[in-house]
Amino acid sequence: LAFRRPDIDGLAAGAFADNPASLRVQEKAGFLRTGESRRWSAARGGEVTQIDMILTREAFAALSLAPASAKGGA
C-alpha cells in the first residue's frame, strides 16, 4: 500500500547482523542492502550492528507479487 502514494520512493528496513534469517526474508521481498549502522538492542544489552536495507519503488514493481496499481497500472 505504501507505493500507492506518489511521495514514497522507498521503504527502509533492517535486521541485526547476527540474524541472517531476517536478512534473507527481506532480500526475498526485494530489499537491497545499503550499509550498516549501530543500533541499541535492549534484548542484547547494548549496541549491535544492523544491516540497513531499502525496497525501492522500482524493485517492488519488478516483483511478481506487486499489485498493478504499484506498477503504475490501474
Side-chain angles (χ1 to χ4, degrees):
L1 296 175
F3 290 120
R4 290 183 183 171
R5 292 184 47 172
D7 59 323
I8 295 178
D9 293 320
L11 301 174
F16 293 137
D18 65 353
N19 190 347
S22 288
L23 292 169
R24 282 192 301 274
V25 168
Q26 290 179 35
E27 288 171 338
K28 284 183 178 184
F31 283 80
L32 301 172
R33 295 178 187 220
T34 60
E36 296 181 0
S37 58
R38 299 289 292 170
R39 303 290 175 148
W40 174 260
S41 169
R44 290 166 173 82
E47 281 193 357
V48 295
T49 299
Q50 174 178 285
I51 307 299
D52 301 317
M53 311 282 277
I54 191 166
L55 177 63
T56 63
R57 178 181 296 277
E58 293 78 22
F60 180 74
L63 296 173
S64 61
L65 299 177
S69 60
K71 294 181 182 181

